[in-house]
Amino acid sequence: LILFSRHGKLRLSKYFVPVPEKERNKTNHEVIAIALNRQNTWCNIFHHKGIKYCYKRFGQKVPCERLASHFETLDRKNN
């Protein structure tokens, strides 16, 4: 889970498997750069290093409660 601003500032990074910090930082930077450089007309899903990423551009600040409920819904669908 990687949350970042539209200016590329990392807000939250959560990994569910152990990953060394140096690799996490590199991956965060790469994923943010890829997501920010994609055109608005392209789909919101891309693959990077064998992992599928899905992102959503929000026009304004989104309350953390809203994001938490969104990810809980996704988690239930995966189980």
Side-chain angles (χ1 to χ4, degrees), residues 19 21 28 34 37-38 40 46 50 57 63 66-68 76:
V19 179
E21 185 175 354
N28 289 345
I34 291 170
N37 289 323
R38 291 175 64 85
N40 291 339
F46 65 92
R57 293 182 189 206
R66 183 173 166 198
L67 286 174
R76 279 181 283 192

Side-chain angles (χ1 to χ4, degrees), residues 38-73:
R38 291 175 64 85
Q39 296 180 8
N40 291 339
T41 57
W42 294 357
C43 82
N44 294 339
I45 299 172
F46 65 92
H47 294 270
H48 178 65
K49 294 186 177 180
I51 299 173
K52 186 186 295 186
Y53 291 91
C54 177
Y55 66 95
K56 172 72 175 136
R57 293 182 189 206
F58 294 100
Q60 59 188 14
K61 291 183 179 180
V62 178
C64 290
E65 298 83 24
R66 183 173 166 198
L67 286 174
S69 66
H70 176 71
F71 287 111
E72 287 173 4
T73 302

Side-chain angles (χ1 to χ4, degrees), residues 13-47:
S13 175
K14 172 74 175 166
Y15 285 78
F16 298 98
V17 294
V19 179
E21 185 175 354
K22 187 174 182 179
E23 187 177 336
R24 270 194 322 239
N25 292 339
K26 183 179 178 187
T27 301
N28 289 345
H29 178 73
E30 291 171 352
V31 169
I32 290 170
I34 291 170
L36 289 176
N37 289 323
R38 291 175 64 85
Q39 296 180 8
N40 291 339
T41 57
W42 294 357
C43 82
N44 294 339
I45 299 172
F46 65 92
H47 294 270

